[in-house]
């Protein structure tokens, strides 16, 4: 158990007590699985997350079932942790088959380069998790109070810098994976550990106060949304070599509507470390969170709140006190841009990679769009590598040029539009799953977003802005799973059919939005933003994005670092400026 003698005694939250008493994540999960139960009860529900699964119920059926006096339609979401999003053809085919046999016939590419299954019922839960493991992937630590899936640039390039990033992402994931044998015992029928005492040398009995998210990128491409993460590394390259990393800490998107003490905020600079210290740097930051993060109030249990409380200087001091290497000054880097890596791209050694757009990450056959079948057939016949992107898309990698042609034909035959023909609004859009699976959703997101994008696409096209890069994002609640608070425009669910509208982030992911208008009905989303879009169409400077224009309109020169759950909307200010 990790001790911290400086910390005052404070009451632990219920979750902390649950973790402490769980015997390193065992709880009574195995016993319940072996019974006829349709679902888990009590503390096991929290422990399941560390194993990569959430107990959910089909919210479309909830009301009807209650009326009939039936229990909820219990089902499970299962998430794979895939560092850097890299999977082989064989692994993909296993996941595709598991989705067919045990889930709701779909796979979902997540905004953190993972895969999710939805709709798995209790009797198939163990077989699905075991099947994922047999393909040499894991669900361990895809959720829960631990280091989560480590993200890095998905471009499958084999220059030294990209290879280094992928290696470092994997090493961080391996080093910070929970060590408990519980996962093997429960899901893979592993032998029971004789003693559970020394099982978690890093995490101790209570793991982290909450999740910890890490991303690594090159300075010229922020496709992983570095500033959204608890910890982030920006590789500094000289010649072809990574000489070290700029280090960031304290990003996080979740907040609560109406609560001024909850904040979505960007990570901020800590300093620069040598190339050989990347893994230890993340481990040290994670350990600081482990020892000093808030364990009394889960709403404040993220490293961003610790940074807000301490200030960055105190964090630096603590980092220096623990690290056995030097923390240098931050190296200047340009403002980040973001590539989605879609379409045809040169890889190396005469090979190509091809980025397929997957609307909201949902790989499913539906309404004439048979992307699931298309990908299965392509993977079977051409055996590409696959990399999942932070924009919920799939890159097919290691291709001959002729194979790229064949893939394009195959996608077209199954109704999949090439990314180059999509409007910018659709290409860069993202939505979280929300209803019917997510227990926290207050409104629709993934199911509604395509029609909202239709409406914006029409509006932007009529203003001559169809191909101007713009990020539209939607979530069903303020937790922020689709990274809404760094988008150009975001819709965040308040209640059914009502959203808060945010504006002012942008592609680079280094600026936070403002609340533009509160409580807007779905049918009014476009009209609410129309004056601003019209202003942008007429008055924008060459290459000026919507958010850059918006920030100029409000005479802002400094990017915004954070936004709380209670804010004054800016719509009237914007209208005033537009009328001048
Ligand atoms: C802080 C409060 C948060 C809570 C309580 C929360 C909870 C959840 C839940 C319950 C789901 C499963 C929904 C489903 O699949 O049905 C989910 C999905 C997900 N969340 Fe969060 N989340 C939070 C914030 C975030 C943030 C800030 C991010 C990243 C910026 C994030 C990333 C994800 C990802 C990648 C998924 C998978 C689905 C997707 O890609 O959209 N979450 N979250
Ligand atoms: S943003 Fe909210 S509604 Fe959407 S998946 Fe995350 S927790 Fe659920």
């Amino acid at each position: 158990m990790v001790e911290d003698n400086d910390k005052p005694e404070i009451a632990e939250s219920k979750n902390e007590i649950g973790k402490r008493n769980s015997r390193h994540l065992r709880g009574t999960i195995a016993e319940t699985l072996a019974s006829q139960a349709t679902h888990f009860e009590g503390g096991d529900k929290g422990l399941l997350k560390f194993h990569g699964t959430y107990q959910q119920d089909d919210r479309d059926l909830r009301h009807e079932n209650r009326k009939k006096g039936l229990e909820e339609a219990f089902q499970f979401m299962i998430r794979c942790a895939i560092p850097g999003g890299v999977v082989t053809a064989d692994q993909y085919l296993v996941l595709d088959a598991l989705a067919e046999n045990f889930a709701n016939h779909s796979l979902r590419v997540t905004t953190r380069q993972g895969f999710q299954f939805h709709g798995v019922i209790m009797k198939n839960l163990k077989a699905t998790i075991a099947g994922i493991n047999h393909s040499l992937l894991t669900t361990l630590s895809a959720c829960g109070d631990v280091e989560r899936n480590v993200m890095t640039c998905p471009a499958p390039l084999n220059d030294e810098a990209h290879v280094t990033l992928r290696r470092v992402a994997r090493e961080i994931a391996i080093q910070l994976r929970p060590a408990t044998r519980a996962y093997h015992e429960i899901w893979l029928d592993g032998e029971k550990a004789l003693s559970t005492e020394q099982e978690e040398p890093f995490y101790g009995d209570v793991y982290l106060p909450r999740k910890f998210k890490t991303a690594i990128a090159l300075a010229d491409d922020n496709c992983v949304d570095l500033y959204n993460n608890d910890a982030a590394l920006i590789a500094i390259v000289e010649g072809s070599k990574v000489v070290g990393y700029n280090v960031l800490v304290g990003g996080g998107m979740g907040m609560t509507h109406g609560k001024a003490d909850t904040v979505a905020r960007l990570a901020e600079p800590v300093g620069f470390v040598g190339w050989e210290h990347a893994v230890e740097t993340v481990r040290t930051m994670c350990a600081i969170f482990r020892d000093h993060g808030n364990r009394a109030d889960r709403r404040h249990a993220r490293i961003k709140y610790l940074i807000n409380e301490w200030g960055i200087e105190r964090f630096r001091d603590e980092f220096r006190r623990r690290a056995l290497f030097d923390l240098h000054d931050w190296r200047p880097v340009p403002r980040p841009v973001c590539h989605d890596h879609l379409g045809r791209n040169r890889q190396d050694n005469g090979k190509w990679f091809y980025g397929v757009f997957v609307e909201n990450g949902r790989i499913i056959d539906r309404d004439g769009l048979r992307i699931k079948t298309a990908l299965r057939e392509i993977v079977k016949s051409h055996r590409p590598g696959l990399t999942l992107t932070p924009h919920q898309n799939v890159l097919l990698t290691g291709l001959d040029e002729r194979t790229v042609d064949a893939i394009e034909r195959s996608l077209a035959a199954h109704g999949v539009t090439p990314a180059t023909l999509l409007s910018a609004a659709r290409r860069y859009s993202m939505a979280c799953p929300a209803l019917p699976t997510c227990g926290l959703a207050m409104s629709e997101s993934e199911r509604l977003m395509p029609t909202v994008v239709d409406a914006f696409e029409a509006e932007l096209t009529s203003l001559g802005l169809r191909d101007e890069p713009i990020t539209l994002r939607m979530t069903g609640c303020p937790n922020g799973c689709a990274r809404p608070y760094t988008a150009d425009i975001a819709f965040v669910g308040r209640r059914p059919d009502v959203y808060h509208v945010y504006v002012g982030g942008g592609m680079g992911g280094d600026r936070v939005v403002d609340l533009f208008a509160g409580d807007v009905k779905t049918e009014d989303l476009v009209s609410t933003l129309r004056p601003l879009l019209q202003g942008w169409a007429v008055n924008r400077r060459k290459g000026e994005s919507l958010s850059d224009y918006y920030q100029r309109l409000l005479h802002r020169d400094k990017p915004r670092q954070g936004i709380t759950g209670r804010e004054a909307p800016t719509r009237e200010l914007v209208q005033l400026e537009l009328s001048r």
Side-chain angles (χ1 to χ4, degrees), residues 54 56 79 108 110-111 116 118 211 213 433 437 479 481:
Y54 267 65
Q56 305 182 318
R79 188 183 295 164
R108 194 172 194 283
T110 77
T111 56
Q116 273 190 195
H118 287 107
K211 57 189 161 191
K213 296 178 174 176
T437 56
N479 284 330
C481 300

Side-chain angles (χ1 to χ4, degrees), residues 1-4 7 10 13 16 19 50 144-148 176 202-204 206-214 229-231 248-252 280-310 314-316 318-319 321-322:
M1 169 56 199
V2 182
E3 296 294 343
D4 176 22
K7 226 168 42 166
I10 39 163
S13 71
E16 293 300 308
K19 285 184 274 182
F50 292 78
D145 300 344
V146 285
E147 170 75 35
R148 295 289 191 86
L176 289 175
F202 179 78
Y203 286 117
V206 280
Y207 296 82
L208 300 179
R210 264 199 77 189
K211 57 189 161 191
F212 194 80
K213 296 178 174 176
T214 302
N229 285 268
D230 297 272
L248 295 148
V249 73
E280 203 46 36
T281 295
V282 174
R283 202 181 144 90
T284 304
M285 294 199 284
C286 195
I288 295 175
F289 177 51
R290 176 194 65 197
D291 299 342
H292 294 278
N294 188 330
R295 291 187 184 265
D297 178 359
R298 258 179 102 71
R299 261 194 311 121
H300 289 157
R302 290 294 293 274
I303 200 167
K304 62 184 176 181
Y305 293 107
L306 187 66
I307 305 294
N308 276 354
E309 187 191 321
W310 278 8
R314 180 167 167 199
F315 181 81
R316 281 194 190 110
E318 180 63 21
F319 185 92
R321 191 176 74 78
R322 290 174 181 241

